[in-house]
Amino acid sequence: MTLLKITLVLSLISSALAEVKIHSSIADKSFYVGEAFTYEILVDGAKKVTPNEAPESSELHIKLLEMTQGRAGSPTSVAVRYKLVPLQPGYVSLPVFTLDADGEMLMTEEEQSISVKKAETLPGLVITREIPDAPVYVGQHFRVKYQWQSP
């Protein structure tokens, strides 16, 4: 009877430890149009993780940056990083990303959104640029003078 209890406890512990978990994060929730940021997805407890094709979005440009994984063949943490660039102002919903982890399909949270603002110039800010009028050849260095004037 005691051996049966020990076996049952060990099997419950091993199945709990073998559970694959997913977590996603971004550093901030507010960005400007055109400001790139990193969206990171962490997968714990999987031996093999394969990111699926990045979801399409009319509000975001999405590109897979990198996937870092620990030792091959052992349950480990895997980080998948995407570069996202907001294309329009307003509240933008992040798409659902899917990953294959040891044959199991994992998905990120469905209700994640960010606030995207349109960059505005400071009222009264004047920027001037002076380029030399002399001819230059391809690859030749020349000076450009920029001047910012702020109220």
Side-chain angles (χ1 to χ4, degrees):
M1 186 67 170
T2 306
L3 182 61
L4 180 62
K5 287 180 184 179
I6 292 173
T7 306
L8 181 62
V9 169
L10 288 177
S11 68
L12 288 173
I13 290 172
S14 66
S15 68
L17 291 176
E19 183 179 349
V20 177
K21 296 179 183 176
I22 186 170
H23 174 73
S24 61
S25 68
I26 52 176
D28 199 357
K29 294 279 186 179
S30 180
F31 302 95
Y32 288 98
V33 173
E35 177 184 5
F37 65 95
T38 302
Y39 181 70
E40 184 173 66
I41 302 170
L42 300 172
V43 179
D44 286 323
K47 292 181 182 178
K48 182 179 179 189
V49 175
T50 306
N52 293 326
E53 193 171 313
E56 292 185 21
S57 172
S58 61
E59 300 172 324
L60 295 165
H61 178 267
I62 302 169
K63 180 182 176 187
L64 176 64
L65 281 180
E66 66 179 343
M67 184 174 96
T68 56
Q69 191 164 356
R71 295 186 321 248
S74 65
T76 183
S77 291
V78 176
V80 181
R81 291 178 187 86
Y82 291 90
K83 176 178 145 183
L84 279 64
V85 179
L87 302 175
Q88 62 189 37
Y91 282 97
V92 174
S93 295
L94 298 180
V96 175
F97 290 81
T98 58
L99 302 149
D100 185 325
D102 294 341
E104 181 182 345
M105 188 63 63
L106 302 176
M107 297 188 316
T108 59
E109 298 174 30
E110 291 184 31
E111 298 182 13
Q112 295 187 63
S113 64
I114 57 171
S115 171
V116 180
K117 300 176 213 162
K118 185 176 180 181
E120 297 178 14
T121 59
L122 182 65
L125 178 67
V126 177
I127 301 174
T128 57
R129 177 180 64 193
E130 292 178 25
I131 299 176
D133 202 17
V136 293
Y137 57 86
V138 174
Q140 178 182 350
H141 297 272
F142 61 91
R143 288 191 185 270
V144 178
K145 181 180 175 184
Y146 287 93
Q147 184 175 5
W148 285 265
Q149 296 174 343
S150 177

